[in-house]
Amino acid sequence: MKRSGGITIILLLVMALSGCDEIMPKSEEYAQPAAKATEAKKSIRIIATIDEQTPITQSFRQAHPDQNVEWVKTKGEDLSYALAGETSPDLVIVDNVWIRQLNDLDLFEDLSQDPYRAESRITDEWFPKLDLTSYKSLDGTKLIAIPKDLPVEFTFYRADILEKYGFPPEPKALGDYLEDPAHWVHMAKVLKQNSHWIFSYATDPTYMVSGGLGYLGRNKENPRNDARMVNALNTAKAIQAEGLVRNLNIWDDNGKNAIRNGELVMLYWGEWGKYLLKEWSPETSGQWKMTRLPLGSYVTRGGAAILMHKKSENKPEAWDYIQHSMTQEAPYRDSLEGKLWYDRLPGIWVTPLDRRAEEIWNAEIPNKLQDLNSPSIIQLNEIDAKLRSELNKELMILHEAISP
């Protein structure tokens, strides 16, 4: 069966791991000599899509002098090859977005069971009251991943400029004000008249809301048939119709200059955005404040998670490493404002088909913005119908795989 990214690669990978070595080509980068397992000093092998967290690996070695940590960085697209090496990793650390490519593989330890009981550690201690749906196996029966870093997305705004034109400058008041999409559009109109902008692209509202809704429903429902998504698409149409969009890429020099000179006065980033503002605009960074997203939306942007391989020969040591890492990162987690909103982050069912679904949505939303008169709920259902039509066979396989 032909499809990109998900089930075909997954089937090949499972066959490769079960002994059919000729199906999956081996990457020399990940092949490890069998003699390594006989070393007296145990080595915890980590395959990661992020750079080595050197302070954590070094402090672990100091706390466990009989253990070493081997960190192998790979690209997310190469995870299947990395996992098909002759030696299974003990731990896998991935950007959160890659969990959807792994959660239907029977490769990972169920960390909700003894001796780990990680679910209570996560929701009571590390990320209080967090919904763990996104970190479970595709069928929802196993906890296969532990969030390491969970950046909540914020609205960053120039408090001094908003106050100058009569808008709430304090975070709570502004967050409440922006729950109403009419207020958001009104603000954009007033600020535009004074050469300030709060939207980079017309798709900004849909992008920030859709991040909390997912693409597919476990029970075949359309998770984006939702009042928040309707409000977001209506808002996107309004700001496009009224010319309230600056159409600037904030990541290039023109966008950065617009932030520095007060042209762009509202941004929508993960909490890591405060460091970018200090880097890009040190002269004005003190005038920026943060509040929650408009339209009552709560989502994350970025972050990473850690998984334990079922075939690890060092599971107790790997679990020690996970706990050590979470302890070392506790001061950072405690410093985040987003920690107050973990209980409001929605649980999203992620699947290996999400990459294809994402491509369809990203292409279709701009098309729908060209038809300002069509009801948004109808347009959202049209996109969902297109998605289900294009992925029909894969969806049948997906739902068969999770049925009891």
Side-chain angles (χ1 to χ4, degrees), residues 330-354:
Y332 167 71
R333 290 195 305 273
D334 290 342
S335 73
L336 299 175
E337 292 187 32
K339 67 182 180 181
L340 301 175
W341 295 335
Y342 292 144
D343 62 332
R344 301 191 188 187
L345 295 172
I348 302 170
W349 187 51
V350 296
T351 81
L353 297 181
D354 284 5

Side-chain angles (χ1 to χ4, degrees), residues 8 15 49 68 71 134 155 161 237 259 266 272 280 347 363:
T8 297
M15 294 174 72
T49 61
N68 190 27
W71 190 292
S134 300
T155 300
I161 292 177
K237 290 178 181 177
I259 293 171
M266 195 167 279
W272 38 261
W280 292 358

Side-chain angles (χ1 to χ4, degrees), residues 57-341:
T57 56
Q58 288 182 344
S59 63
F60 181 81
R61 292 185 186 102
Q62 292 171 356
H64 301 81
D66 60 331
Q67 298 172 34
N68 190 27
V69 179
E70 177 192 1
W71 190 292
V72 179
K73 186 178 180 183
T74 183
K75 295 179 180 178
E77 294 85 353
D78 296 334
L79 274 171
S80 57
Y81 292 108
L83 293 172
E86 291 182 0
T87 302
S88 299
D90 298 296
L91 297 172
V92 180
I93 299 176
V94 296
D95 299 274
N96 281 325
V97 70
W98 290 107
I99 295 175
R100 63 191 186 183
Q101 298 300 117
L102 303 175
N103 70 351
D104 69 336
L105 300 176
D106 188 22
L107 295 181
F108 303 106
E109 193 83 347
D110 182 359
L111 297 173
S112 69
Q113 300 299 312
D114 288 332
Y116 318 107
R117 294 291 174 182
E119 194 158 344
S120 60
R121 295 289 300 277
I122 298 169
T123 58
D124 294 343
E125 179 182 347
W126 297 330
F127 298 95
K129 300 182 179 178
L130 179 68
D131 188 305
L132 297 177
T133 302
S134 300
Y135 298 92
K136 294 187 176 183
S137 57
L138 187 66
D139 62 6
T141 62
K142 301 175 183 177
L143 178 70
I144 63 168
I146 293 175
K148 277 174 53 62
D149 180 26
L150 202 61
V152 175
E153 188 166 1
F154 281 83
T155 300
F156 291 82
Y157 64 97
R158 280 285 298 270
D160 57 327
I161 292 177
L162 265 59
E163 184 174 25
K164 180 178 178 180
Y165 296 105
F167 297 107
E170 293 307 315
K172 178 159 190 328
L174 182 62
D176 293 343
Y177 180 81
L178 292 177
E179 279 202 13
D180 186 334
H183 290 166
W184 203 11
V185 175
H186 171 68
M187 176 185 289
K189 291 178 181 178
V190 172
L191 292 175
K192 179 191 172 182
Q193 292 170 359
N194 295 279
S195 301
H196 302 296
W197 303 80
I198 62 173
F199 294 108
S200 296
Y201 297 106
T203 52
D204 284 353
T206 58
Y207 180 66
M208 70 181 65
V209 170
S210 64
L213 295 174
Y215 298 97
L216 300 166
R218 192 191 301 274
N219 298 312
K220 302 183 180 182
E221 75 277 14
N222 174 10
R224 299 193 171 192
N225 187 346
D226 182 275
R228 290 168 296 173
M229 196 66 190
V230 172
N231 278 340
L233 186 51
N234 286 339
T235 303
K237 290 178 181 177
I239 63 176
Q240 175 150 300
E242 306 238 15
L244 303 177
V245 181
R246 185 62 182 86
N247 287 313
L248 264 183
N249 179 0
I250 61 173
W251 301 99
D252 64 22
D253 288 339
N254 289 333
K256 293 176 184 177
N257 285 332
I259 293 171
R260 293 186 191 104
N261 63 28
E263 187 178 352
L264 273 176
V265 298
M266 195 167 279
L267 305 165
Y268 314 99
W269 280 339
E271 191 161 351
W272 38 261
K274 59 190 177 185
Y275 304 110
L276 287 183
L277 286 171
K278 290 179 180 179
E279 177 185 345
W280 292 358
S281 185
E283 298 82 4
T284 67
S285 62
Q287 296 166 322
W288 288 84
K289 291 185 178 181
M290 298 162 47
T291 189
R292 57 193 177 94
L293 290 179
L295 307 182
S297 182
Y298 294 89
V299 302
T300 61
R301 195 66 68 195
I306 188 165
L307 305 86
M308 184 187 298
H309 203 287
K310 284 177 67 173
K311 292 186 178 180
S312 166
E313 297 181 356
N314 304 298
K315 290 178 183 177
E317 293 80 11
W319 176 237
D320 285 345
Y321 182 87
I322 291 175
Q323 295 179 92
H324 179 84
S325 176
M326 299 305 291
T327 299
Q328 292 293 301
E329 293 182 289
Y332 167 71
R333 290 195 305 273
D334 290 342
S335 73
L336 299 175
E337 292 187 32
K339 67 182 180 181
L340 301 175
W341 295 335

Side-chain angles (χ1 to χ4, degrees), residues 12-25:
L12 292 176
L13 176 56
V14 171
M15 294 174 72
L17 291 172
S18 64
C20 299
D21 292 341
E22 70 277 11
I23 294 176
M24 178 66 74

